[in-house]
Each structure stands twice: as structure tokens, then as C-alpha cells.
Amino acid sequence: MGMSDADKTKKQLIAELAETRQQLAALAASGAERKQAEAAREAENLRELNRLRTELLSNISHELRTPLASIKGFATMLLDYDRRLKRAEKREYLETIDKNTDRMVELIEQLLEMSRLHSGMLAIEQKPTSISRLCQEAIAEAQVRSPTHHIMLDLAGRLPGVNIDARRIRQVLDNLIDNAVKYSQAGTEVTVSARRAEGELLVTVTDRGISIPQKDLPQVFERMFRSRQGQIPAEGGAGLGLSICKGLVEAHGGRIWMESEEGKGTKCFFTLPITRSSPRV
């Protein structure tokens, strides 16, 4: 006895309904898997953030403890042995206290700057600026801070002005020059150069000091990363300076990177965009 058209239609509808249910179940399962994967990624990100926060606090605590201990120790010496100490000794102790206070202020300023960068609250006040003049001023002051090095300027002709926050870019220059001095021997040259390159200003700080391993170059601008730190035990720092430089350069629409060659030293490059309205200043 043959199946009627109505029976065929009913059977087809049941099959289609079952197939639809299977598709819905598969979609639901896929959605649940995606949510689980997203939750797992979020949990992993939170764990990594917590690890970085803990590492940062530990690092900062150590960096603060060292100058604090020195300040406390020499202040106590001055109070307890004031009458026994010679004038030259007192001055030496006061200079040590002053130096370590500066170190603490610098560290706190770096933390505040890092906080502003990551919260998006950093104010960039751009205006036409001569990068040549800015480099000259940075080098002149760096030479006073580091008289044992030869800090040179190399400018490729007359450069166009750029619309930048001069105070922030000066901060970048100071940090890169100080890093170059810190990781190179006394008597060597540190060169700051600037030239126009395809619609950008390219600024380079070159040292003839300790090279950075190639495997470490992608990480040098991360917070607290100090590739060369272990090679100069006397130099302190929380490893925030280059990370702040990266944030400041990128806030101007530029790029920053490093190149290093063993036995020849390290170059740090950063760019600043030249707009059509950028005048020659």
C-alpha cells in the first residue's frame, strides 16, 4: 500500500525538524565553547596582569628600599655624630642623601608617567618646534651630567619643524642619551643624529657600548625589562624608562625601535611625523 502525499509531507517535516534541532544544538554547543574559550582567555589575561602587577610592586619596592636605606643611614650618622664629623665628611653624607633623594623622585615620576600613559590621561600639548634646537639643548645638558663621555650632534642639513610636545620629546631624548652613557665606557662617543626620511623625522641615538642580544631586542621597550642591567651591577633603575619613551613617541604618532651589534654598540631610533603644515623653525 503506497504512502500518501500527506504522509510524505509529514515525514519530510519531521526529518527537517530533527535536522533543525541538531543544527540548533550544534550552534548552542559552539556558542558555549566560544564563551568558555573567551572566559579562559580573560582568566589568563587577569592572571598575567596580576603577575605583572606583583612583579612591578616587588621591583619598585626593591628600588625604593635601596635609596631609602642610604638616606636613613647617612641622616642618622649626621644626627648621632655631628660634632665628631669633619666638614668634608658632612658634605659627602649630604651629597649622598641628595643623590638618593633625586633617585627616588625620578622613580616616582616614572610611575606617575606610566600610570598616565596606560590610563590615557597623558596630556600632549603640540606646537611647532625645532628638533635641531631641542637636540642641541639636550646634548648640552647631558654633557654636563656626563663629562666623561663625548656627546656629539649630527644634523642632516636644515630640518623642518614638527608639531610636538617639546617637553615630552625632550624627556625621550634625555632618557635615550642617559641610557647610552650608562651602558658605554667613559671616553667613548654618544651621537645624536636627526634627518628627514620619507615624510618623517628620524632621530637616532648611537653608543659604542654594551650590545643587546638579538633575542632581547623585541622586549627592550617592555616594562621592567633590562637586558644589559646584569652587566653593570652599580646601575639601578626600575626598567620603566624605555617603556615610557615608547608611549610618548607613539602618542605623537611615531615609532621607536633598537638595533644592536656585538662589539659595535647600540642604536635607538624614533620617528616623528612631518605634516604639511609643519613649518621650518
Side-chain angles (χ1 to χ4, degrees), residues 11 56 80 100 112 131 154 160 165 168 170 182 199 210 212 225 245-246 259 261 269 271-272 278:
K11 188 173 182 179
L56 178 62
D80 291 349
N100 280 281
L112 291 172
I131 196 69
D154 179 18
D165 186 325
R168 301 297 186 182
R170 173 61 189 275
K182 181 188 297 184
I210 302 168
I212 302 174
F225 186 82
C245 287
K246 182 175 185 290
E259 295 177 3
E261 188 174 351
F269 306 86
T271 64
L272 296 168
S278 295

Side-chain angles (χ1 to χ4, degrees), residues 160-172:
V162 283
N163 289 316
I164 58 172
D165 186 325
R167 185 170 70 90
R168 301 297 186 182
I169 296 304
R170 173 61 189 275
Q171 186 178 344
V172 173

